[in-house]
Amino acid sequence: MSWVFFCELWQNKLSLEPLKGLQLIAVDLRITNSRVQVMYQVVPGGAGGTITDVIPKQKHSKDTRPLVWAGVIGLVLLIAAVTAWCYYIASLRKAELLKTQLLDLNKDGYIIRNQGGSIVFRMDFRSGTLDLDSCSKEGELLSCGRTTDRNLNFFIETVRPKDTVQCYRVRWEELVPDIPVEHAMTYTFAHWYGGAVSAIQHWPISISGQQPPKPFVTGDIYSNRNEFGGILESYWLSSNATAIKINNSVPFHLGWNDTEKTMSFQARYNDSPFKSNPGEAPCAELSYRVCVGLDVTSIHKYMVRRYFNKPNKVPAKVMFRHPIWSTWALHKTDIDQEKVLTYAANIRKYKFNCSHLQLDDRYTSRYGEFEFDQTKFPNASSMFQRLKSDGFLVSLWIHPFVNYDSENFHSCVERGLFVREPTGRLPALVRWWNGIGGILDFTNPEARDWFSSQLRSLRSRYGVSSFKFDAGETNYLPWKFSTRTPIRDPSFFTRRYTEMAIPYNDRAELRSGYQSQNISCFFRPIDRDSVWGYELGLKSLIPTVLTISILGYQFILPDMIGGNAYLNRTDGNSVLPDRELYIRWLELSAFMPSMQFSIPPWAYDNEVVEIARKYTALHESIVAPRVLELAGEVLDTGDPIIRPLWWIATGDETAYKIDSQFLIGDDLMVAPVLEPGKQERDIYLPAGHWRSYKGERFDIKEPLHLTDYPVDLDEIAYFVWV
């Protein structure tokens, strides 16, 4: 009889009677008055067997007692050994049950290994301990029905969509309302990228401090620098070729702990702006997919094709070739007809090209109106005609708010066009950076039609070319609110707002996005300060653009050259951005998909004007043709236009950490100077055949570090694949 079979008998307490062909010996040990009586009896040898003669009972003398005691001890040891062996066999079988492909599940979490056997991903369960006895496996589906104290639905399913990719679908569903689900991902195995735009942007993600899980929704990081940014997707990618995508249906909250080195993924409805489906109990479900590939580039390509929308068209080519000129940083809200015409005249005077002129904030008398302030613009029609005759197209700044002092406010209230308070009976008043009012409910077809009609009117009356759609983040919604069409995820409001730009997407500009990659507009990271650093400064531009690219937004407008020029958020003693900062910002912007001026070069001196001419010409002749070629490919692939260096150097640890260089496609590498007072920089050159902008050739089989590579103030280092 095999040990495994015996263990099954032992564990399952099977009846002995059906076991045919076995003769078992029953041992009866009786200890009385210090004497041991051992009786042996042969029991039936299978179904239908007969009882044989009984061996007479025998009494043993004192001389046989040690032998008997030794037998007893040996029998006890044998039983203990058999029991231990059976439990060992059972543990092996349970361990085998809780494995699926390269994933190992335990009661507190799971780990995933790559094909080489190295651990690449670890997730710990923070909302309960699985009862492993409730787990079962059927094919590639491993499911469990209990924690140690309650029932739940949990499963991990293995999916192998292609030979080079291994994916795991994970779902933890609570059956009791208002119990949060929380899993904690250890991030020490690799460098991580993605998630959201942030006020202090690093590449890869740099985590500091402790943050309890908070709603992962779009926010205005300029007004609140601790929020998640206006462009956001629940997707992360690591340097060890692992990616995680949270399902869009999850009431998702994100937290972190730099002491434990974990990111917390939580699903909850309690104390949250997320809502359960109408008529359903608020039972939280955390569901996501983890995929492992051969390298970071190939796994990202797979995830983008599988989970992200793709743009359905390329914006107007002139947007890539020629700069946008905005009035914002130069004039702020102090704008009028004369200043607009003077600004346009200077653009022509200094011989710059223009994709369009953007008339920004406060051209109306009140926020929420769609008519020009007659005091500031006494003859708006004439202004537009003159600009058109001079070759200018004009776009207008727009937003989703109607302030309470606007003539349109009362009408919007009566027609029910605003987002409402939770009962749905009254409009919700909201505070934004320009006052107090209502916010249009873009889930309401009537509100969408009303807003669209105002934009169409501006286009037909003045020949407006397009619009700059500002705001759209969920932090401007009340904490508790109701909409005409109920929305579970507050960020879906952002999605609805971005859809308003579709009719104008040739030249439209958006600063917020959620599942909006197919809107086919230019997306602008939120306003920058006129500073050098990582907090909304020059150094934040490359990490921010790379992050947006990884999230699937490829038509990028990297805000105004030199930043906003706010007095209290500007390096230097002048109202203007620091001159050196402005030049370095200009050089970097020339290698982005689009350029935007507001502070004009002629606000400085002739040298700055000449540098600006040089780089707008370089952008038009070298950068824009390559970007447009890549933009066409985006429609099919979703691959980034602006790429990190690891895109072509997937096995290089150094490439994973570089945040001051980037690629345009695979064949144009850019290394701007981002430090004040520097006219040199260290450059990492991936293996390959490169030619520098100075004409130098680098044919290298291994990556090369160029130390203190000279870069004059009017230069930016770039290298072309030969």
Side-chain angles (χ1 to χ4, degrees), residues 17-271:
E17 291 183 358
L19 303 179
K20 296 181 180 180
L22 296 179
Q23 286 194 341
L24 305 181
I25 299 176
V27 182
D28 186 7
L29 302 179
R30 298 181 182 177
I31 304 176
T32 56
N33 298 324
S34 300
R35 300 187 61 177
V36 179
Q37 295 179 329
V38 183
M39 284 76 69
Y40 303 90
Q41 184 179 23
V42 178
V43 298
T50 58
I51 300 176
T52 60
D53 295 337
V54 177
I55 299 176
K57 297 180 181 180
Q58 300 178 8
K59 295 184 179 181
H60 293 267
S61 66
K62 290 183 180 181
D63 294 336
T64 63
R65 289 177 189 174
L67 183 61
V68 172
W69 278 112
V72 171
I73 294 171
L75 186 59
V76 170
L77 292 174
L78 178 63
I79 293 171
V82 170
T83 302
W85 177 258
C86 289
Y87 276 110
Y88 174 68
I89 293 294
S91 65
L92 288 179
R93 290 191 163 190
K94 178 60 71 174
E96 185 63 30
L97 168 69
L98 300 182
K99 290 178 180 288
T100 175
Q101 297 293 334
L102 300 172
L103 181 146
D104 295 349
L105 175 70
N106 60 63
K107 61 185 178 64
D108 297 315
Y110 62 89
I111 61 171
I112 298 175
R113 293 181 171 86
N114 61 17
Q115 295 290 344
S118 300
I119 296 176
V120 294
F121 189 84
R122 173 180 169 179
M123 190 75 87
D124 295 327
F125 303 143
R126 294 292 174 83
S127 48
T129 301
L130 288 180
D131 177 0
L132 298 184
D133 289 332
S134 72
C135 300
S136 61
K137 186 178 179 184
E138 182 175 346
E140 299 299 336
L141 184 68
L142 199 165
S143 59
C144 305
R146 281 191 57 80
T147 66
T148 54
D149 61 354
R150 64 186 183 276
N151 293 330
L152 84 162
N153 291 328
F154 172 83
F155 75 74
I156 297 177
E157 182 180 19
T158 303
V159 181
R160 194 172 183 86
K162 53 190 300 187
D163 291 341
T164 58
V165 176
Q166 181 83 33
C167 292
Y168 304 91
R169 293 177 55 228
V170 182
R171 187 180 76 186
W172 179 302
E173 179 187 1
E174 290 291 346
L175 303 178
V176 178
D178 295 325
I179 295 180
V181 183
E182 184 175 336
H183 294 180
M185 182 189 77
T186 301
Y187 59 77
T188 54
F189 297 111
H191 305 290
W192 285 88
Y193 315 91
V197 172
S198 59
I200 302 175
Q201 198 86 48
H202 291 284
W203 180 272
I205 295 170
S206 177
I207 293 176
S208 61
Q210 289 81 45
Q211 171 62 55
K214 61 181 181 179
F216 191 68
V217 295
T218 58
D220 178 352
I221 53 175
Y222 201 85
S223 61
N224 187 340
R225 308 213 168 185
N226 295 318
E227 296 293 330
F228 300 113
I231 299 175
L232 163 152
E233 303 290 337
S234 54
Y235 168 71
W236 288 267
L237 172 74
S238 81
S239 59
N240 62 12
T242 306
I244 180 169
K245 176 67 177 71
I246 310 297
N247 288 352
N248 294 330
S249 60
V250 171
F252 183 54
H253 297 65
L254 178 67
W256 53 85
N257 188 314
D258 66 348
T259 302
E260 297 180 350
K261 307 300 181 186
T262 57
M263 293 173 61
S264 297
F265 300 143
Q266 187 189 77
R268 76 168 192 262
Y269 292 109
N270 190 33
D271 187 31

Side-chain angles (χ1 to χ4, degrees), residues 267-278:
R268 76 168 192 262
Y269 292 109
N270 190 33
D271 187 31
S272 169
F274 289 89
K275 302 173 184 177
S276 58
N277 283 327

Side-chain angles (χ1 to χ4, degrees), residues 1 4-19 22 24 93:
M1 178 169 57
V4 172
F5 184 65
F6 186 80
C7 288
E8 288 178 349
L9 294 177
W10 186 275
Q11 287 182 296
N12 298 319
K13 300 179 177 62
L14 297 177
S15 170
L16 298 178
E17 291 183 358
L19 303 179
L22 296 179
L24 305 181
R93 290 191 163 190

